[in-house]
Amino acid sequence: MKDFMNEALKFAQLAYKKNEVPIGAVIVKNDKIIAKGYNKREKKQNALLHAEIIAINKACKKLKSWRLDDCILFVTLEPCPMCAGAICNSRIKTVIFACKEQTSNDGLCELILNSNRLNHKVNLIQDKKYEEQSSELLKKFFKEKR
Amino acid sequence: MKDFMNEALKFAQLAYKKNEVPIGAVIVKNDKIIAKGYNKREKKQNALLHAEIIAINKACKKLKSWRLDDCILFVTLEPCPMCAGAICNSRIKTVIFACKEQTSNDGLCELILNSNRLNHKVNLIQDKKYEEQSSELLKKFFKEKR
């Protein structure tokens, strides 16, 4: 498997340069990237525009289907509840994230991805290779904002 | 307060006519509707396009802000995790829903809306006046689909 998390991290770095919370995501099908996204909340002034949502939106358009079966989402930060719910709704099979949220310890992401409500459970995997880089980028961003 | 749930129900009926899961939503600020939405998942083949997401997207564009402070969302069905997360992310203050999901009893909507992660809690209120109409419309839709 190619180093898709590195691609997601590049997108997080792009978000950082654009003064957005630095999070990046890519969606992979058959070992190919079919959609990418980085956080655009501030620029677009839109609460929905997290990296994962942008990538899922693009992937649905590309595949012309709301079902993203057999897709893997790589994201630099563990998804928030909105994005975890969107991942379930789009039937993405596996989520690989680099670092955990520092501020929340509510376990909501796992609860949502493991819920029975859609007869669809999502595998949630942490890839520790890029954990520190992803986490340091976020810390740097928030330190500068203070 | 005007009968905003009736407006949401009209949108659910519109979704029904268009062969979509019949759910409708409106967002209200200062006693005026600023955004409306109905489910468009099938037509647009996009997993994100629930009634609430469409309404939140429109409201952010209208107010030119990702923060929907002091907004109330009326929706005919209790929000799914994606939509509950989007409601938190957009800082909507209050959600009023007509009927509960029949198939899920996981309490995720309440857990998400009450989470501490954003220092923002959302009031969740059931308006029973349109409970039966909203629920019957959904039951009719799924019965015909079978």
Side-chain angles (χ1 to χ4, degrees):
Chain A
M1 196 155 72
K2 287 175 207 149
D3 196 349
F4 295 117
M5 191 62 86
N6 194 33
E7 294 303 310
L9 184 60
K10 282 182 198 164
F11 262 55
Q13 285 157 342
L14 187 57
Y16 175 83
K17 277 181 201 150
K18 292 176 182 272
N19 220 12
E20 300 277 355
V21 178
I23 303 165
V26 301
I27 296 176
V28 170
K29 186 170 179 165
N30 299 331
D31 215 34
K32 274 185 193 146
I33 292 175
I34 59 162
K36 304 176 182 185
Y38 64 89
N39 186 31
K40 290 186 178 171
R41 186 183 71 172
E42 296 302 327
K43 193 192 165 195
K44 300 274 189 186
Q45 284 296 309
N46 190 319
L48 305 172
L49 294 182
H50 285 193
E52 301 95 312
I53 297 290
I54 291 170
I56 290 171
N57 188 41
K58 285 182 186 166
C60 288
K61 285 179 179 168
K62 184 147 191 175
L63 300 181
K64 294 183 178 65
S65 171
W66 65 261
R67 295 192 70 108
L68 304 180
D69 298 309
D70 304 319
C71 287
I72 304 176
L73 185 139
F74 292 79
V75 60
T76 54
L77 179 68
E78 188 180 23
C80 80
M82 171 180 75
C83 294
I87 287 159
C88 292
N89 289 356
S90 64
R91 309 297 194 272
I92 283 173
K93 211 175 176 173
T94 300
V95 171
I96 304 181
F97 69 96
C99 70
K100 282 214 166 233
E101 260 196 276
Q102 300 291 314
T103 49
S104 102
N105 197 18
D106 53 20
L108 274 174
C109 179
E110 277 189 69
L111 272 177
I112 295 165
L113 297 184
N114 279 308
S115 160
N116 280 317
R117 58 184 293 282
L118 298 174
N119 281 325
H120 175 75
K121 297 201 181 192
V122 182
N123 305 313
L124 182 66
I125 300 165
Q126 184 171 17
D127 171 4
K128 296 226 170 193
K129 188 175 164 195
Y130 288 102
E131 182 184 17
E132 209 178 304
Q133 265 178 283
S134 301
S135 168
E136 287 305 318
L137 189 63
L138 283 159
K139 279 183 201 158
K140 191 173 147 193
F141 176 83
F142 286 114
K143 202 177 161 187
E144 287 166 4
K145 281 280 161 200
R146 255 178 246 131
Chain B
M1 195 155 73
K2 287 174 207 148
D3 196 350
F4 295 117
M5 190 63 86
N6 194 33
E7 294 302 310
L9 183 61
K10 282 182 199 165
F11 261 56
Q13 286 158 343
L14 187 57
Y16 175 84
K17 277 182 201 150
K18 291 175 183 274
N19 220 12
E20 299 277 357
V21 178
I23 303 165
V26 301
I27 296 177
V28 170
K29 186 169 178 165
N30 299 331
D31 215 35
K32 275 186 191 144
I33 292 175
I34 60 163
K36 304 176 182 185
Y38 65 88
N39 185 33
K40 290 185 178 171
R41 185 183 73 173
E42 297 302 327
K43 192 191 166 197
K44 300 275 189 184
Q45 284 295 308
N46 190 320
L48 305 172
L49 295 181
H50 285 193
E52 301 94 313
I53 297 291
I54 292 170
I56 290 171
N57 188 41
K58 285 183 186 167
C60 289
K61 285 179 178 165
K62 184 147 190 177
L63 300 181
K64 295 183 178 62
S65 172
W66 66 261
R67 294 192 70 107
L68 305 180
D69 298 308
D70 304 319
C71 287
I72 305 175
L73 185 140
F74 292 79
V75 58
T76 54
L77 179 69
E78 189 179 22
C80 80
M82 170 180 76
C83 294
I87 288 159
C88 292
N89 289 356
S90 64
R91 309 297 194 272
I92 284 173
K93 210 173 178 176
T94 301
V95 170
I96 304 181
F97 69 96
C99 69
K100 282 215 164 232
E101 258 196 277
Q102 300 291 314
T103 49
S104 103
N105 197 17
D106 53 20
L108 275 173
C109 179
E110 276 187 71
L111 273 177
I112 295 164
L113 297 185
N114 279 309
S115 161
N116 280 317
R117 59 185 293 282
L118 298 174
N119 280 324
H120 175 76
K121 297 201 179 191
V122 182
N123 305 312
L124 182 66
I125 299 165
Q126 184 171 18
D127 171 5
K128 296 225 169 195
K129 188 176 163 193
Y130 289 102
E131 181 184 16
E132 209 178 306
Q133 266 178 283
S134 300
S135 167
E136 287 304 318
L137 188 63
L138 283 159
K139 279 182 201 158
K140 191 174 146 193
F141 177 83
F142 286 113
K143 202 177 162 187
E144 288 166 4
K145 280 279 161 198
R146 254 178 247 132

